[in-house]
mmCIF file of all heavy atoms in Angstrom:
data_model
loop_
_atom_site.group_PDB
_atom_site.id
_atom_site.type_symbol
_atom_site.label_atom_id
_atom_site.label_comp_id
_atom_site.label_asym_id
_atom_site.label_seq_id
_atom_site.Cartn_x
_atom_site.Cartn_y
_atom_site.Cartn_z
ATOM 1 N N TRP A 232 -7.053 19.701 -30.041
ATOM 2 C CA TRP A 232 -6.687 21.046 -29.565
ATOM 3 C C TRP A 232 -6.825 21.169 -28.047
ATOM 4 O O TRP A 232 -6.076 21.878 -27.384
ATOM 5 C CB TRP A 232 -7.547 22.111 -30.270
ATOM 6 C CG TRP A 232 -7.156 22.265 -31.699
ATOM 7 C CD1 TRP A 232 -7.845 21.804 -32.791
ATOM 8 C CD2 TRP A 232 -5.971 22.889 -32.202
ATOM 9 N NE1 TRP A 232 -7.162 22.118 -33.945
ATOM 10 C CE2 TRP A 232 -6.011 22.782 -33.608
ATOM 11 C CE3 TRP A 232 -4.883 23.533 -31.612
ATOM 12 C CZ2 TRP A 232 -4.997 23.285 -34.425
ATOM 13 C CZ3 TRP A 232 -3.877 24.055 -32.425
ATOM 14 C CH2 TRP A 232 -3.942 23.923 -33.820
ATOM 15 N N VAL A 269 3.647 17.282 -29.219
ATOM 16 C CA VAL A 269 3.322 17.321 -30.660
ATOM 17 C C VAL A 269 4.333 16.467 -31.423
ATOM 18 O O VAL A 269 3.954 15.612 -32.244
ATOM 19 C CB VAL A 269 3.315 18.782 -31.191
ATOM 20 C CG1 VAL A 269 3.195 18.809 -32.706
ATOM 21 C CG2 VAL A 269 2.190 19.586 -30.548
ATOM 22 N N LEU A 283 -4.328 14.823 -38.074
ATOM 23 C CA LEU A 283 -4.505 15.733 -36.938
ATOM 24 C C LEU A 283 -5.083 17.037 -37.504
ATOM 25 O O LEU A 283 -4.643 17.505 -38.562
ATOM 26 C CB LEU A 283 -3.165 15.947 -36.218
ATOM 27 C CG LEU A 283 -2.611 14.650 -35.594
ATOM 28 C CD1 LEU A 283 -1.169 14.827 -35.100
ATOM 29 C CD2 LEU A 283 -3.505 14.166 -34.451
ATOM 30 N N PRO A 284 -6.093 17.596 -36.828
ATOM 31 C CA PRO A 284 -6.875 18.694 -37.421
ATOM 32 C C PRO A 284 -6.171 20.056 -37.356
ATOM 33 O O PRO A 284 -6.657 20.973 -36.708
ATOM 34 C CB PRO A 284 -8.147 18.683 -36.552
ATOM 35 C CG PRO A 284 -7.680 18.208 -35.208
ATOM 36 C CD PRO A 284 -6.572 17.243 -35.470
ATOM 37 N N ASP A 285 -5.028 20.159 -38.013
ATOM 38 C CA ASP A 285 -4.285 21.415 -37.967
ATOM 39 C C ASP A 285 -3.573 21.619 -39.303
ATOM 40 O O ASP A 285 -2.557 20.968 -39.584
ATOM 41 C CB ASP A 285 -3.256 21.351 -36.817
ATOM 42 C CG ASP A 285 -2.422 22.625 -36.715
ATOM 43 O OD1 ASP A 285 -2.617 23.542 -37.542
ATOM 44 O OD2 ASP A 285 -1.568 22.692 -35.811
ATOM 45 N N PRO A 286 -4.076 22.549 -40.127
ATOM 46 C CA PRO A 286 -3.450 22.775 -41.441
ATOM 47 C C PRO A 286 -2.020 23.320 -41.321
ATOM 48 O O PRO A 286 -1.250 23.268 -42.282
ATOM 49 C CB PRO A 286 -4.388 23.799 -42.113
ATOM 50 C CG PRO A 286 -5.204 24.394 -41.006
ATOM 51 C CD PRO A 286 -5.249 23.399 -39.882
ATOM 52 N N HIS A 287 -1.674 23.860 -40.172
ATOM 53 C CA HIS A 287 -0.328 24.447 -40.009
ATOM 54 C C HIS A 287 0.700 23.463 -39.470
ATOM 55 O O HIS A 287 1.861 23.822 -39.266
ATOM 56 C CB HIS A 287 -0.396 25.659 -39.067
ATOM 57 C CG HIS A 287 -1.313 26.727 -39.560
ATOM 58 N ND1 HIS A 287 -1.005 27.541 -40.618
ATOM 59 C CD2 HIS A 287 -2.563 27.083 -39.157
ATOM 60 C CE1 HIS A 287 -1.998 28.365 -40.848
ATOM 61 N NE2 HIS A 287 -2.971 28.106 -39.971
ATOM 62 N N LEU A 288 0.240 22.229 -39.227
ATOM 63 C CA LEU A 288 1.150 21.227 -38.646
ATOM 64 C C LEU A 288 2.157 20.793 -39.716
ATOM 65 O O LEU A 288 1.767 20.206 -40.740
ATOM 66 C CB LEU A 288 0.321 20.033 -38.165
ATOM 67 C CG LEU A 288 1.022 18.993 -37.315
ATOM 68 C CD1 LEU A 288 1.498 19.578 -36.001
ATOM 69 C CD2 LEU A 288 0.055 17.837 -37.023
ATOM 70 N N LYS A 289 3.424 21.118 -39.513
ATOM 71 C CA LYS A 289 4.439 20.859 -40.546
ATOM 72 C C LYS A 289 5.813 20.716 -39.901
ATOM 73 O O LYS A 289 6.140 21.468 -38.979
ATOM 74 C CB LYS A 289 4.466 22.052 -41.516
ATOM 75 C CG LYS A 289 4.805 21.679 -42.932
ATOM 76 C CD LYS A 289 4.510 22.820 -43.883
ATOM 77 C CE LYS A 289 5.747 23.179 -44.658
ATOM 78 N NZ LYS A 289 6.248 24.497 -44.554
ATOM 79 N N TRP A 290 6.579 19.763 -40.391
ATOM 80 C CA TRP A 290 7.939 19.573 -39.865
ATOM 81 C C TRP A 290 8.793 20.790 -40.220
ATOM 82 O O TRP A 290 8.801 21.250 -41.373
ATOM 83 C CB TRP A 290 8.561 18.302 -40.426
ATOM 84 C CG TRP A 290 9.976 18.099 -39.943
ATOM 85 C CD1 TRP A 290 11.121 18.230 -40.673
ATOM 86 C CD2 TRP A 290 10.375 17.750 -38.606
ATOM 87 N NE1 TRP A 290 12.220 17.978 -39.870
ATOM 88 C CE2 TRP A 290 11.789 17.681 -38.595
ATOM 89 C CE3 TRP A 290 9.681 17.501 -37.422
ATOM 90 C CZ2 TRP A 290 12.518 17.364 -37.450
ATOM 91 C CZ3 TRP A 290 10.403 17.188 -36.276
ATOM 92 C CH2 TRP A 290 11.814 17.121 -36.301
ATOM 93 N N ASN A 291 9.497 21.329 -39.265
ATOM 94 C CA ASN A 291 10.371 22.478 -39.495
ATOM 95 C C ASN A 291 11.807 21.991 -39.334
ATOM 96 O O ASN A 291 12.279 21.750 -38.226
ATOM 97 C CB ASN A 291 10.027 23.581 -38.465
ATOM 98 C CG ASN A 291 10.848 24.836 -38.671
ATOM 99 O OD1 ASN A 291 12.013 24.771 -39.070
ATOM 100 N ND2 ASN A 291 10.235 25.978 -38.397
ATOM 101 N N ARG A 294 14.203 24.065 -37.106
ATOM 102 C CA ARG A 294 13.986 23.982 -35.646
ATOM 103 C C ARG A 294 14.155 22.556 -35.137
ATOM 104 O O ARG A 294 14.317 22.324 -33.956
ATOM 105 C CB ARG A 294 12.553 24.431 -35.297
ATOM 106 C CG ARG A 294 12.308 25.913 -35.401
ATOM 107 C CD ARG A 294 11.086 26.394 -34.573
ATOM 108 N NE ARG A 294 9.880 25.588 -34.700
ATOM 109 C CZ ARG A 294 9.251 25.023 -33.682
ATOM 110 N NH1 ARG A 294 9.735 25.148 -32.465
ATOM 111 N NH2 ARG A 294 8.148 24.313 -33.864
ATOM 112 N N HIS A 296 11.650 20.526 -35.122
ATOM 113 C CA HIS A 296 10.378 20.274 -34.435
ATOM 114 C C HIS A 296 9.239 20.480 -35.428
ATOM 115 O O HIS A 296 9.422 21.110 -36.472
ATOM 116 C CB HIS A 296 10.163 21.282 -33.291
ATOM 117 C CG HIS A 296 11.119 21.129 -32.156
ATOM 118 N ND1 HIS A 296 11.108 20.048 -31.307
ATOM 119 C CD2 HIS A 296 12.115 21.951 -31.709
ATOM 120 C CE1 HIS A 296 12.053 20.193 -30.397
ATOM 121 N NE2 HIS A 296 12.689 21.325 -30.629
ATOM 122 N N TYR A 297 8.036 20.002 -35.038
ATOM 123 C CA TYR A 297 6.860 20.332 -35.838
ATOM 124 C C TYR A 297 6.367 21.727 -35.461
ATOM 125 O O TYR A 297 6.271 22.059 -34.269
ATOM 126 C CB TYR A 297 5.732 19.321 -35.571
ATOM 127 C CG TYR A 297 5.945 18.016 -36.299
ATOM 128 C CD1 TYR A 297 6.572 16.942 -35.664
ATOM 129 C CD2 TYR A 297 5.540 17.870 -37.624
ATOM 130 C CE1 TYR A 297 6.794 15.747 -36.333
ATOM 131 C CE2 TYR A 297 5.753 16.677 -38.304
ATOM 132 C CZ TYR A 297 6.382 15.627 -37.651
ATOM 133 O OH TYR A 297 6.605 14.449 -38.324
ATOM 134 N N ASP A 298 6.028 22.524 -36.486
ATOM 135 C CA ASP A 298 5.297 23.776 -36.238
ATOM 136 C C ASP A 298 3.834 23.407 -36.098
ATOM 137 O O ASP A 298 3.374 22.431 -36.714
ATOM 138 C CB ASP A 298 5.450 24.734 -37.435
ATOM 139 C CG ASP A 298 6.872 25.291 -37.522
ATOM 140 O OD1 ASP A 298 7.558 25.337 -36.485
ATOM 141 O OD2 ASP A 298 7.278 25.665 -38.649
ATOM 142 N N PHE A 299 3.102 24.162 -35.329
ATOM 143 C CA PHE A 299 1.655 23.922 -35.261
ATOM 144 C C PHE A 299 0.897 25.236 -35.115
ATOM 145 O O PHE A 299 1.492 26.285 -34.824
ATOM 146 C CB PHE A 299 1.304 22.918 -34.148
ATOM 147 C CG PHE A 299 1.824 23.244 -32.782
ATOM 148 C CD1 PHE A 299 1.016 23.914 -31.869
ATOM 149 C CD2 PHE A 299 3.103 22.882 -32.396
ATOM 150 C CE1 PHE A 299 1.477 24.210 -30.591
ATOM 151 C CE2 PHE A 299 3.583 23.184 -31.118
ATOM 152 C CZ PHE A 299 2.777 23.854 -30.226
ATOM 153 N N GLY A 300 -0.432 25.158 -35.320
ATOM 154 C CA GLY A 300 -1.255 26.369 -35.375
ATOM 155 C C GLY A 300 -1.555 26.941 -33.998
ATOM 156 O O GLY A 300 -1.039 26.477 -32.969
ATOM 157 N N ASP A 301 -2.419 27.963 -33.996
ATOM 158 C CA ASP A 301 -2.713 28.680 -32.738
ATOM 159 C C ASP A 301 -3.804 27.986 -31.934
ATOM 160 O O ASP A 301 -4.831 27.575 -32.476
ATOM 161 C CB ASP A 301 -3.185 30.113 -33.051
ATOM 162 C CG ASP A 301 -2.063 30.929 -33.656
ATOM 163 O OD1 ASP A 301 -0.888 30.639 -33.329
ATOM 164 O OD2 ASP A 301 -2.367 31.832 -34.462
#
Side-chain angles (χ1 to χ4, degrees):
W232 288 105
V269 171
L283 296 170
D285 179 359
H287 301 287
L288 191 64
K289 212 167 124 239
W290 178 252
N291 182 326
R294 287 201 314 123
H296 293 291
Y297 282 94
D298 289 335
F299 54 95
D301 293 331

